[in-house]
Amino acid sequence: MRWLVTGAGGLLGRDTAAALRAHGEPVTALGRAALDITDPAAVDRALAAHRPALVVNCAAYTAVDDAEHDEERALRVNADGPRVLARACAPHGARLLHVSTDYVFAGDARAPYPEDHPPGPRTAYGRTKLAGERAVLAELPHAAAVVRTAWLYGVHGPSFVRTMIRLEAGRDTVDVVDDQRGQPTWSADLARTLVRLGPRVGHDVTGVLHATNAGDTTWYELAREVFAGLGADPARVRPVGGAAFPRPAPRPAYSVLAHGRLRRLGLPPPRDWRAALHEALPEIREETLRETP
């Protein structure tokens, strides 16, 4: 079937388009310059021209702290944009796979969040992403699915892993938060999950699913794993509390997502986060250091 990937210039969009091409799938990959998902006329033209069976929406406003000061702009991209896509999909007979985030939850749980746990976002970013989820499922209840993920990193675009690679090369020690827990997720692994889910959207896949790498850790433990994978001494990473790094948007203390729906669909969650990280590190390191002045 023919696919269309929005936000194709970003971290996940690039990997999703690459995964589809690797599977021999016909895909049109449109970045922000090629398609503004908040523009109804532009979205309608794109769907009419490319006639996708499935749209994968990887476009998002992901500047979590900036959203606290510009929630209106974040809302346009994270809520109005997905609504525009969903409304356009219906008359064109296309289905929609929309990517969302762990930030829709309050972040104060003690056990992994199941898909049906009540949301309670505590940031502007989380509120706008939750609004986008609800818009997609309201507009296309029988032809759309929402995939929530967390702690995404990859070769393209900014991420915590890339930041640690730069800091390892430039500092003797690094202080990293040790009181926030989540699931580091390699964008390439998530992309492969989206490719497997896509053909089933609108059939036995609708509603909300969670997709992250398996297991969980803290930012501090993740940084130590990055250093170890680079052949550096993990003891150069020092644990600190989140209060040491105040941010406009509070970070969730607990962002672990359960994978119940993937398992019920016969789709195992992506592999353990450590295995994914160590496979990804060489390419990410090469690209990060190449781009570092």
Side-chain angles (χ1 to χ4, degrees), residues 37-62:
I37 66 168
T38 69
D39 183 341
V43 169
D44 185 71
R45 287 195 299 270
L47 294 186
H50 301 291
R51 303 178 65 182
L54 183 79
V55 176
V56 183
N57 182 35
C58 298
Y61 181 107
T62 58

Side-chain angles (χ1 to χ4, degrees), residues 114-116 137 144-146 197 200 203-210 258-269:
E115 287 88 350
D116 60 356
L137 297 178
V146 171
L197 282 171
R200 299 172 67 170
H203 302 294
D204 61 340
V205 172
T206 57
V208 177
L209 306 93
H210 291 166
H259 304 117
R261 286 210 63 203
L262 282 182
R263 290 193 177 93
R264 290 193 293 274
L265 290 165
L267 295 171

